[in-house]
Amino acid sequence: MTALDLLFVVLVAPVVALAVALHAASGASARAALAVGVGVGAVSVSGFAAKHLFGDALVRAYLRLLKPSPVVSSPLELVVVHLVAGFAVAASAVAAYLVGSRSGRLTAE
């Protein structure tokens, strides 16, 4: 991971995990809240590690879908693509948690 990726992993994933765990603790057992928080945090980390997990597939998809003309991309643009993908995965994990919590699957027993 680059230093910027690592910085965002260290900042974003724990904050997302803590926010989800605190929200889940209001309606679920402490064990379930911890499990959900750790799960969402792990998904957030994997979103920022997508560059290393999927190789150049993310960049190729970006270049084919959103920027189809053969224009040279700057290194900053590619870094932004990876960061946006990480934030999108983290936001998707939080949205999936919120939908699941609204359906009543995380209720106190």
Side-chain angles (χ1 to χ4, degrees):
M1 281 191 174
T2 64
L4 191 59
D5 292 336
L6 190 58
L7 175 70
F8 279 107
V9 166
V10 169
L11 292 177
V12 173
V15 170
V16 167
L18 181 64
V20 167
L22 290 175
H23 183 269
S26 65
S29 66
R31 186 175 181 181
L34 180 64
V36 170
V38 168
V40 170
V43 171
S44 298
V45 168
S46 70
F48 285 101
K51 173 173 64 173
H52 304 288
L53 295 173
F54 300 114
D56 291 333
L58 184 65
V59 173
R60 284 195 310 269
Y62 165 73
L63 291 175
R64 286 185 185 209
L65 297 175
L66 298 177
K67 194 175 179 183
S69 61
V71 177
V72 177
S73 298
S74 69
L76 178 62
E77 182 179 11
L78 299 180
V79 168
V80 169
V81 167
H82 293 301
L83 292 178
V84 167
F87 281 116
V89 170
S92 298
V94 171
Y97 159 72
L98 289 174
V99 168
S101 69
R102 295 290 179 193
S103 70
R105 300 212 182 248
L106 291 172
T107 57
E109 296 174 1

